[in-house]
Amino acid sequence: MATSVNPTVRRRRLGAELRKLREARGMTAEEVATRLLVSQSKISRLENGRRSISQRDVRDLCQVYGVEDRRIVESLMTMARESRQRGWWHAFGDIPYSVYIGLEAEAASIRTYHSLVVPGLLQTRAYAEAVVSGTGPENTPQQVLKQVEVRMKRQDRIREAEPVRFWAVLDEAALRRVVGDPQTMREQLEHLVDLSMLPHLTVQVIPFSVGAHPGMTGAFSILEFQEANDSDVVYLEGVTSDLYLEREADVHLYTVMYEHLRAEALSPEQSRALIAQVAKEYSR
């Protein structure tokens, strides 16, 4: 688990506490917004952790909710202060999916499904460069380099003393699609074989022979956290914006879907053999 303060997770935890206080008071987000002369969307963004929360916001909300216990107020103030700190990824400037990186940095386990590419945490540098360049043709060389460096830094999560528990299900297409060149693919798949032997990392492949399966609707990831108060999150990457699902019903739906994908995929041992076989084909 990450040891430094994670502003993304702090915002989520603080937002959840503020939502509990509002609900205990029996107030709607619209009523709170009216009291504070702000928009309802601001209250919603504060509660779902998508917006930075200032200590002034906390003070005003505590007054509306009638919170008189100074210990509670001070605890929320501390969380607000920590939520405005900068994570390691902020040193790279404006980068895509920064919210996801913050969640990934704190997750205890990640289950991910990809149909077209190898997941970022498992990519070699050459493969990552080819992916970033190919999916963002308008990126400058400097932007490509920055995004690749961030991706390499993210991979610390699978190398830490207490690494994230990572489970990846891939469609066979991710092995067959030539990203970069055959040598890049061979090195990537050999790297994937090596990683799949780590005790905290599992890789399964859904072969073409399975035919249609639930994952054909698109890639997704399910992140779970150590703290009981941190709800699981389903992450769906978009072109212009990403989607984060936290409702219990949504998480359950994707969890069931993931179990179907794992059941239809080859076993980890069979998957490793297939990946090694395809890597040899690229060698030829």
Side-chain angles (χ1 to χ4, degrees):
M1 298 294 294
T3 56
S4 58
V5 171
N6 186 314
T8 303
V9 173
R10 284 293 189 276
R11 285 202 304 270
R12 290 185 74 229
R13 291 175 183 170
L14 178 54
E17 292 301 320
L18 293 174
R19 183 187 303 111
K20 290 178 182 178
L21 290 174
R22 175 177 61 77
E23 293 173 346
R25 192 70 173 178
M27 300 180 69
T28 65
E30 184 178 5
E31 290 171 336
V32 176
T34 300
R35 287 278 299 274
L36 296 179
L37 300 178
V38 299
S39 67
Q40 181 181 343
S41 62
K42 175 179 178 178
I43 301 301
S44 297
R45 290 196 298 272
L46 290 177
E47 291 185 352
N48 64 26
R50 299 292 176 265
R51 180 188 175 108
S52 179
I53 306 177
S54 69
Q55 290 179 292
R56 179 175 179 176
D57 290 330
V58 170
R59 182 201 65 189
D60 293 346
L61 288 169
C62 284
Q63 289 176 351
V64 171
Y65 300 149
V67 180
E68 299 179 352
D69 190 328
R70 291 305 305 171
R71 293 173 300 178
I72 295 178
V73 175
E74 288 301 324
S75 175
L76 296 175
M77 286 287 195
T78 298
M79 293 175 69
R81 186 168 57 252
E82 292 177 344
S83 73
R84 299 177 73 85
Q85 294 183 17
R86 295 168 63 84
W88 64 260
W89 52 94
H90 290 117
F92 291 87
D94 185 22
I95 55 175
Y97 53 85
S98 60
V99 172
Y100 174 79
I101 295 175
L103 296 175
E104 179 185 79
E106 192 79 8
S109 73
I110 300 174
R111 289 168 287 171
T112 189
Y113 165 75
H114 284 265
S115 59
L116 299 177
V117 296
V118 174
L121 291 188
L122 309 182
Q123 293 177 4
T124 63
R125 178 177 289 274
Y127 184 93
E129 290 175 350
V131 169
V132 174
S133 299
T135 57
E138 296 183 357
N139 286 335
T140 65
Q142 292 76 18
Q143 290 172 323
V144 171
L145 177 61
K146 180 171 67 174
Q147 291 188 39
V148 171
E149 289 300 329
V150 170
R151 191 160 301 187
M152 296 298 103
K153 174 64 176 175
R154 285 170 52 204
Q155 294 181 2
D156 288 348
R157 288 281 14 237
I158 62 175
R159 304 189 186 96
E160 297 171 346
E162 296 183 31
V164 63
R165 176 72 179 88
F166 194 78
W167 198 306
V169 175
L170 309 178
D171 191 282
E172 186 176 344
L175 311 182
R176 302 289 183 180
R177 179 176 297 277
V178 180
V179 176
D181 54 38
Q183 180 178 344
T184 298
M185 290 301 301
R186 176 181 59 80
E187 293 174 349
Q188 173 61 70
L189 297 188
E190 290 175 346
H191 181 63
L192 198 55
V193 168
D194 291 340
L195 291 177
S196 70
M197 296 180 182
L198 296 175
H200 59 277
L201 203 153
T202 303
V203 177
Q204 288 184 263
V205 177
I206 300 178
F208 287 147
S209 59
V210 167
H213 59 77
M216 294 176 68
T217 56
F220 65 93
S221 297
I222 305 172
L223 297 88
E224 298 175 301
F225 302 88
Q226 191 72 37
E227 293 291 332
N229 291 333
D230 294 333
S231 59
D232 297 346
V233 178
V234 174
Y235 169 69
L236 305 171
E237 183 177 355
V239 177
T240 58
S241 62
D242 300 330
L243 184 61
Y244 300 87
L245 306 177
E246 300 181 50
R247 287 198 317 158
E248 186 175 345
D250 293 331
V251 175
H252 176 71
L253 176 63
Y254 276 90
T255 298
V256 171
M257 184 187 301
Y258 201 79
E259 292 305 312
H260 280 289
L261 293 174
R262 293 203 299 195
E264 296 192 32
L266 299 173
S267 70
E269 294 74 23
Q270 292 171 324
S271 297
R272 188 179 301 119
L274 176 59
I275 297 170
Q277 173 191 322
V278 177
K280 290 181 179 178
E281 294 175 9
Y282 284 119
S283 297
R284 294 196 294 269

